[in-house]
C-alpha cells in the first residue's frame, strides 16, 4: 500500500511540475497572499471533492485527526489526516525536504492549508504545500499556531 501511495504521489508531483498552467481563481490567489482561508476558499475545496476533481489548487482548514509516520522513501513527507468542516478527511503530504516540518503538531490542532487537491476514495490528498524551488509551480503552505510553513 505504501509503495502504491508513493508511486501515486511521485506521479502526481511529476504531473504537477509539468503542468505549467495550473489555473487558480482570484480568491485563491488572495488566500495565498494573505496566508488566510475563508468560507469561499473552503467552498472551492468542497466543490473539488464533490466533483471528484484532481490537480486543483485549493485552500482550506481542518482539524488533525491522526498523525502518521513520515514517508521517508524518495522525497520525505510529513503526513497527517485532517478532517474539514464537511466531515471529509484528507491526507496531507507535506514535503519536508523543501519546507520546514510542523514540529509540535498534535491530534486536535487546527491547520490551514493551500496546496493541490487530488481525489481518492478516502477523501483525497493535499500536496504541494511548499514552495517550488524551480519556480514552475505555484507555491503552497501550511499554517499552524500562527506560523506558516512553505
Amino acid at each position: 500500500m505504501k509503495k502504491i501511495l508513493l508511486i501515486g504521489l511521485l506521479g502526481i508531483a511529476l504531473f504537477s511540475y509539468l503542468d505549467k498552467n495550473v489555473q487558480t481563481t482570484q480568491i485563491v490567489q488572495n488566500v495565498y497572499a494573505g496566508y488566510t482561508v475563508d468560507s469561499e476558499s473552503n467552498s472551492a475545496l468542497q466543490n473539488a471533492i464533490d466533483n471528484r476533481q484532481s490537480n486543483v489548487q485549493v485552500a482550506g482548514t481542518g482539524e488533525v485527526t491522526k498523525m502518521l509516520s513520515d514517508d521517508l522513501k524518495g522525497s520525505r513527507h510529513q503526513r497527517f489526516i485532517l478532517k474539514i468542516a464537511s466531515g471529509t478527511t484528507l491526507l496531507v503530504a507535506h514535503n519536508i525536504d523543501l519546507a520546514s516540518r510542523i514540529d509540535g503538531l498534535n491530534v486536535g490542532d487546527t491547520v490551514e492549508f493551500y496546496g493541490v487537491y487530488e481525489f481518492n476514495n478516502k477523501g483525497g490528498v493535499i500536496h504541494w504545500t511548499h514552495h517550488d524551488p524551480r519556480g514552475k509551480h505555484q507555491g503552497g503552505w501550511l499554517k499552524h499556531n500562527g506560523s506558516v510553513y512553505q
Side-chain angles (χ1 to χ4, degrees):
M1 181 68 179
K2 284 186 177 182
K3 287 181 182 179
I4 293 171
L5 179 61
L6 177 62
I7 290 169
L9 287 174
L10 290 174
I12 291 166
L14 178 60
F15 178 79
S16 296
Y17 173 73
L18 295 174
D19 181 14
K20 297 177 184 175
N21 297 317
V22 174
Q23 296 182 5
T24 58
T25 62
Q26 186 61 43
I27 185 68
V28 174
Q29 290 171 347
N30 290 340
V31 166
Y32 177 71
Y35 300 115
T36 59
V37 176
D38 61 18
S39 60
E40 286 185 54
S41 54
N42 276 321
S43 295
L45 170 61
Q46 193 60 51
N47 184 57
I49 293 167
D50 292 345
N51 292 301
R52 299 176 170 226
Q53 297 175 316
S54 290
N55 197 34
V56 179
Q57 196 79 34
V58 298
T61 303
E63 179 181 327
V64 178
T65 61
K66 187 170 186 178
M67 298 297 301
L68 303 172
S69 62
D70 289 350
D71 178 356
L72 302 176
K73 296 178 182 157
S75 297
R76 299 175 308 137
H77 288 80
Q78 180 179 18
R79 302 177 313 145
F80 53 93
I81 305 294
L82 285 181
K83 186 175 188 178
I84 61 174
S86 67
T88 300
T89 56
L90 304 170
L91 168 65
V92 176
H94 180 60
N95 187 320
I96 52 176
D97 286 332
L98 296 175
S100 298
R101 140 189 308 288
I102 303 177
D103 287 325
L105 185 63
N106 295 299
V107 170
D109 289 355
T110 298
V111 175
E112 294 180 51
F113 59 87
Y114 180 69
V116 174
Y117 172 77
E118 303 293 340
F119 174 81
N120 68 30
N121 289 329
K122 293 184 178 182
V125 178
I126 301 293
H127 66 111
W128 275 101
T129 57
H130 54 81
H131 71 285
D132 178 3
R134 295 184 179 130
K136 305 237 183 228
H137 189 282
Q138 185 163 1
W141 48 263
L142 297 175
K143 186 175 179 182
H144 174 255
N145 287 342
S147 295
V148 176
Y149 302 83
Q150 58 182 3

